[in-house]
Amino acid sequence: MQGPPPRRREHDVRIGIIGAGDIGGNLTRAFTRLGHEVRVANSRGPQTLTDLAAETGAGAVDAADAPRGADLVVVTVPEKNVPDLAGVLDAAAEGTVVVDTGNYYPRERDGRIDGIEAGTPETAWVAQQLDPAGRLRWVKAFNGIQAEHLLSAGRPAGDPQRRALPLAGDDAAAKATVAELVFAMGFDAVDAGPLAESWRQQPGTPVYGAELDADGVARALGEAQRERPEQFTA
């Protein structure tokens, strides 16, 4: 998956973002800078997103409207809040690509989530909560990079300082769609395998938070251990 994207989309990507914290806000900024149509939502209502909308040109909407007509939806909320979003993706068309950026922090934020503690990878668990019928195509991405680096750390292709980001998912075409966005933002993309292997990029693994090129990301993914470090368990 490293290197230039294999193709370019014939139209701008229509993106819905659910969650407007540090990651969601900066993805809104990054995607609108690339010319994509973005609608962004949070839990407090579109009236609280007027500044972000004015800055970026994104549309501020209710959460249930963010997936409507979108080619790609980003879910970027704390794991503890995921159950509160039940039904939020109902308006997404079947086969829509959904990117989950979330991480499980049981001690400092989320509390114990039994399904994740039992071994379900984080994004697979999120998909179970929000897409129980399996209508959508899920990709885990953007979970191990600092929010500010989404805007500041991108580099042109071939730059020796160009970093890479891992992407995990079960659908190759969905990962290619996300990889195109990653490339355009100034990063290489490394295929981290299916969702069942997405634990390789969760908190506590070698790739999480690391600033590595594509070869380094691939090595770090291979070095990951299945057991979570103690600080990332409940």
Side-chain angles (χ1 to χ4, degrees):
M1 190 174 284
Q2 299 100 302
R7 60 184 174 84
R8 298 300 305 167
R9 296 182 66 94
E10 295 179 354
H11 56 81
D12 292 335
V13 185
R14 294 167 297 182
I15 300 173
I17 298 180
I18 300 171
D22 292 340
I23 294 290
N26 277 355
L27 285 176
T28 299
R29 295 178 177 95
F31 294 153
T32 53
R33 288 178 185 179
L34 292 172
H36 299 302
E37 176 187 329
V38 177
R39 286 181 290 181
V40 60
N42 64 9
S43 62
R44 295 177 295 150
Q47 71 279 359
T48 66
L49 296 172
T50 53
D51 289 345
L52 181 62
E55 175 192 347
T56 63
V61 298
D62 291 317
D65 290 325
R68 199 177 306 277
D71 301 307
L72 180 145
V73 178
V74 178
V75 176
T76 178
V77 301
E79 306 296 69
K80 67 177 181 178
N81 295 340
V82 166
D84 297 335
L85 294 176
V88 75
L89 297 178
D90 287 355
E94 184 168 357
T96 298
V97 178
V98 181
V99 175
D100 171 50
T101 76
N103 294 303
Y104 176 48
Y105 302 116
R107 298 192 179 191
E108 63 184 77
R109 185 189 67 191
D110 297 316
R112 180 183 177 89
I113 297 175
D114 289 339
I116 297 177
E117 291 289 340
T120 302
E122 296 160 348
T123 296
W125 178 83
V126 173
Q128 290 172 359
Q129 311 310 303
L130 302 186
D131 180 30
R135 299 171 50 250
L136 310 173
R137 298 181 292 161
W138 289 79
V139 177
K140 185 178 187 71
F142 302 119
N143 72 294
I145 182 172
Q146 294 183 39
E148 60 267 29
H149 290 177
L150 292 168
L151 302 178
S152 66
R155 297 290 184 273
D159 190 305
Q161 299 300 313
R162 185 169 165 104
R163 290 166 52 181
L165 304 179
L167 313 177
D170 296 335
D171 186 282
K175 285 190 282 191
T177 296
V178 179
E180 290 186 21
L181 292 171
V182 170
F183 287 129
M185 291 167 65
F187 304 94
D188 287 327
V190 175
D191 191 335
L195 283 186
E197 295 289 310
S198 62
W199 58 266
R200 294 182 180 275
Q201 65 194 78
Q202 68 194 16
T205 60
V207 80
Y208 179 78
E211 300 178 10
L212 303 170
D213 64 9
D215 289 340
V217 167
R219 284 194 301 271
L221 289 167
E223 294 167 356
Q225 300 296 311
R226 188 68 179 87
E227 185 176 357
R228 289 178 179 271
E230 183 179 353
Q231 66 267 36
F232 295 111
T233 59

